[in-house]
Amino acid sequence: MSHPHPELGPPPELPEGALRIVALGGLGEIGRNMAVFEYDGRLLIVDCGVLFPEPDQPGVDLILPDFEYIRDRLDDVEALVLTHAHEDHIGAVPYLLRERRDIPIVGSKLTLALIEAKLTEHRIQPVKVEVVEGERRVFGPFETEFLAVNHSIPDALAVAIRTPAGIVLHTGDFRMDQLPSDGRLTDLGGFARLGAEGVDLLMSDSTNAEVPGFVTSEREIAPVIDEVIRTAEKRVIVASFASHIHRVQQVIDSAEKHGRKVALVGRSMVRNMGVARDLGYLRVASDVIVDSKEIEGWPPEDVVLICTGSQGEPMAALSRMANRDHPIRVAEGDTVLLASSLVPGNETAVNKVINGLSRWGARVVHKGNAKVHVSGHAAAGELLYVLNLTRPSNFMPVHGEWRHLRAHAKLAALTGVPDDHIVIAEDGVVVDLLDGRARIVGAVPAGYVYVDGTSVGDVTDFALKDRRILGEEGFISIVVVVDTGTGKLTGGPEIHARGSGIDPDRLTEVIPQIERAIEENAADGVVDIQQVRRVVRRTVGRWVSDTYRRRPMIIPVVVEV
């Protein structure tokens, strides 16, 4: 089983006749999916998504793939293929198109419509290439074939990429729901046909590789949602992903059945459902939807609200409702339905929202106490099915954390893929497909690029470390005035502490130590201001550590006279 090594160096020149695959995101993590394919000097990109920040990344709005690997080669990009319209697959597209606006964007009708609506906010008009399942398109040396896959958003596609190096099948995110709400099945016949033709490399969704069996059908969720809405005494507030059209359809159908009006809350929810409705993917009577600004005037028992915030995102509508920071006020007797799965890492944030809603008297229904969501990702039984259908010569698990990639690799081995033909890579690892073998040949930089407000890439890991220290330990500032000729103290020290948990009255204890340290420094003939700063920082840091066992950020300010 081939796997990355921490000492991998830069890859060699791409051999003639080889296909190179470099994942810039999506391996070892849930999100930021982006894979770059190279053949004969030309590039094809599949997906370009974002990763959402964790609690230890304060102030960060989004995390992008690092485009540095392709930045000098953007003119070589033939196209960007989008498998579906979830944020972890399309969220970084505006940032890529800022660097080259005319990259053709390839995708299904709904995917292109949703990305165009997003790009409008960035004032970018994309070059669109609409495709449907069963269609073949050629982009430079890449012949692509698109296959229908079932997922938690309509119009999702897998893509087969043909080059002289062989056939690569990239499944995108998929599941094998046999009774999907939209009737659109995963094209297992197409997968089998490709298997008969010969799949040289299968890149398959690993998110649920640890989950045994098959994922529950989407249709089994509708009766549970209907029961929640039927029995609710007052308002029902449903939180869902803004792209989960199937789930929103189920909620609207139930609300209409029980005589309730529906209001969409949140900019992305209103935008996406507007696009889905215009294209016919969302079916709703004209008199069912009402403006969220008018909803407060309706009797609570006649109302259903659909909003964002199912993952506990701080600025989403549901979190703001829980914090009493939203025009819509959660009240005693309201029912809140979290109609989505829990993204790993969001447990604390979601539990905080649930507790906040419960505080105001709401009944909160979620996956932990009712069957109100099914995953959009294939479980182990389905993944085995696809491996047996396609019979790949080489296998590379994608879309998942390390445990998911390893679990999927074990499934591939069980189906007969030789261990030395299974490639477990991570972001930035370079894989070449040559002479029927996939091998790791090197690595390129593929770090995180942070979006903080309007800033892209300016926030570094060091800056985040500083933010964490400030948030957890506070800071202490010390102002001293020093004679630049002698290095002697002529004013101060003045000490101020914020958020450090240190008693201000006790700060006077360290002043003699600072004075003594500067005097000793001057006696040694040291007049360098940077050295004075280091002495002050070290002296205060030692005192705080010995006295309080804390490590706040220490900011010495030396005024020269």
Side-chain angles (χ1 to χ4, degrees):
M1 207 175 278
S2 179
H3 59 85
H5 190 279
E7 296 179 0
L8 282 173
E13 290 290 324
L14 182 62
E16 184 177 350
L19 174 68
R20 176 160 289 176
I21 304 108
V22 183
L24 297 182
L27 301 186
E29 60 194 359
I30 301 291
R32 217 169 60 114
N33 297 292
M34 182 177 182
V36 179
F37 296 82
E38 178 179 358
Y39 186 85
D40 196 22
R42 306 301 293 173
L43 305 178
L44 180 75
I45 302 172
V46 174
D47 291 330
C48 187
V50 296
L51 182 68
F52 293 102
E54 296 186 2
D56 64 347
Q57 294 163 326
V60 174
D61 299 317
L62 299 170
I63 305 172
L64 310 178
D66 186 351
F67 302 143
E68 189 60 34
Y69 171 63
I70 60 171
R71 182 161 281 120
D72 295 335
R73 301 189 57 193
L74 289 172
D75 289 339
D76 297 335
V77 177
E78 296 285 351
L80 167 58
V81 174
L82 300 177
T83 58
H84 63 284
H86 280 152
E87 283 296 300
D88 59 335
H89 292 258
I90 70 169
V93 172
Y95 301 94
L96 179 62
L97 293 192
R98 286 183 185 180
E99 308 206 19
R100 182 188 153 196
R101 292 186 171 232
D102 64 343
I103 297 175
I105 308 299
V106 184
S108 63
K109 180 190 291 187
L110 178 64
T111 300
L112 291 180
L114 291 176
I115 190 62
E116 185 173 26
K118 176 185 288 290
L119 290 170
T120 298
E121 298 180 0
H122 291 260
R123 300 179 181 176
I124 296 174
Q125 183 61 45
V127 178
K128 299 182 296 181
V129 180
E130 185 178 320
V131 294
V132 297
E133 55 261 33
E135 185 173 353
R136 294 193 183 196
R137 288 286 186 118
V138 175
F139 303 99
F142 306 98
E143 181 186 337
T144 58
E145 179 183 354
F146 299 93
L147 301 96
V149 290
N150 179 254
H151 189 41
S152 53
I153 186 171
D155 252 8
L157 296 169
V159 57
I161 302 169
R162 290 179 171 85
T163 67
I167 298 175
V168 177
L169 174 58
H170 191 303
T171 66
D173 288 355
F174 80 101
R175 64 183 172 193
M176 287 167 47
D177 189 345
Q178 298 304 296
L179 294 170
S181 55
D182 61 357
R184 188 170 178 271
L185 296 164
T186 292
D187 187 2
L188 300 180
F191 283 7
R193 174 176 48 78
L194 287 168
E197 186 178 343
V199 173
D200 295 278
L201 176 63
L202 173 63
M203 300 172 67
S204 182
D205 176 13
S206 306
T207 310
N208 271 347
E210 293 184 308
V211 179
F214 284 64
V215 170
T216 303
S217 174
E218 188 80 36
R219 292 199 181 192
E220 293 191 24
I221 304 303
V224 182
I225 292 175
D226 188 73
E227 180 67 11
V228 169
I229 293 176
R230 184 186 69 81
T231 58
E233 298 175 2
K234 294 185 179 179
R235 285 183 305 187
V236 178
I237 301 170
V238 180
S240 173
F241 290 118
S243 56
H244 205 331
I245 296 167
H246 295 320
R247 188 70 71 249
V248 171
Q249 183 71 68
Q250 290 172 324
V251 173
I252 289 175
D253 289 346
S254 179
E256 185 176 9
K257 175 181 174 182
H258 297 291
R260 290 178 180 250
K261 301 296 182 182
V262 176
L264 303 175
V265 181
R267 184 167 54 92
S268 57
M269 181 67 73
V270 172
R271 179 191 68 201
N272 288 358
M273 294 310 137
V275 169
R277 188 178 182 182
D278 291 343
L279 295 179
Y281 292 92
L282 186 69
R283 302 173 305 280
V284 53
S286 57
D287 61 341
V288 172
I289 299 290
V290 297
D291 194 301
S292 61
K293 295 175 183 176
E294 304 172 5
I295 208 70
E296 289 294 333
W298 288 81
E301 63 274 13
D302 294 340
V303 170
V304 172
L305 298 150
I306 305 176
C307 66
T308 55
S310 60
Q311 300 303 307
E313 305 96 314
M315 297 307 295
L318 193 66
S319 296
R320 293 173 58 202
M321 290 179 200
N323 294 330
R324 278 289 196 262
D325 183 30
H326 195 279
I328 295 170
R329 315 289 279 187
V330 175
E332 185 80 33
D334 286 347
T335 298
V336 178
L337 172 62
L338 302 182
S340 66
S341 61
L342 194 59
V343 174
N346 290 348
E347 294 87 355
T348 301
V350 172
N351 286 333
K352 183 179 179 182
V353 170
I354 290 174
N355 282 320
L357 295 167
S358 300
R359 177 185 180 188
W360 308 120
R363 170 195 174 211
V364 183
V365 181
H366 52 87
K367 191 179 180 182
N369 58 24
K371 199 169 191 61
V372 291
H373 182 74
V374 295
S375 177
H377 302 270
E382 298 159 81
L383 299 177
L384 285 168
Y385 205 104
V386 168
L387 282 159
N388 285 323
L389 276 177
T390 57
R391 302 190 300 279
S393 301
N394 300 271
F395 176 69
M396 180 175 169
V398 296
H399 300 180
E401 297 175 349
W402 270 104
R403 58 196 176 100
H404 306 128
L405 303 181
R406 292 225 176 257
H408 203 173
K410 288 180 180 178
L411 295 177
L414 288 173
T415 64
V417 181
D419 281 354
D420 59 351
H421 287 238
I422 298 173
V423 176
I424 303 179
E426 59 185 330
D427 295 342
V429 167
V430 179
V431 177
D432 283 357
L433 178 63
L434 178 64
D435 297 330
R437 282 290 303 277
R439 295 182 176 89
I440 289 174
V441 298
V444 300
Y448 285 177
V449 174
Y450 300 107
V451 178
D452 184 350
T454 59
S455 165
V456 179
D458 293 336
V459 176
T460 64
D461 287 326
F462 293 109
L464 287 181
K465 181 179 179 182
D466 287 347
R467 290 181 182 183
R468 286 194 292 270
I469 292 172
L470 285 168
E472 296 167 4
E473 303 284 351
F475 76 94
I476 299 174
S477 64
I478 310 101
V479 181
V480 296
V481 183
V482 173
D483 187 315
T484 55
T486 65
K488 292 184 177 181
L489 187 70
T490 62
E494 291 185 10
I495 306 182
H496 304 278
R498 293 289 185 274
S500 61
I502 295 173
D503 183 354
D505 294 335
R506 293 200 62 183
L507 290 173
T508 56
E509 295 177 12
V510 76
I511 290 178
Q513 298 180 35
I514 299 172
E515 293 172 339
R516 185 164 56 250
I518 294 176
E519 286 174 7
E520 292 173 356
N521 209 47
D524 291 336
V526 178
V527 296
D528 179 65
I529 297 303
Q530 293 297 333
Q531 178 64 17
V532 174
R533 288 195 183 99
R534 283 193 288 271
V535 166
V536 172
R537 181 183 290 112
R538 188 164 54 245
T539 302
V540 176
R542 187 184 304 116
W543 176 81
V544 173
S545 178
D546 291 345
T547 309
Y548 286 94
R549 295 292 187 269
R550 296 185 66 84
R551 298 183 64 185
M553 182 173 289
I554 298 171
I555 307 172
V557 179
V558 179
V559 180
E560 306 173 54
V561 294

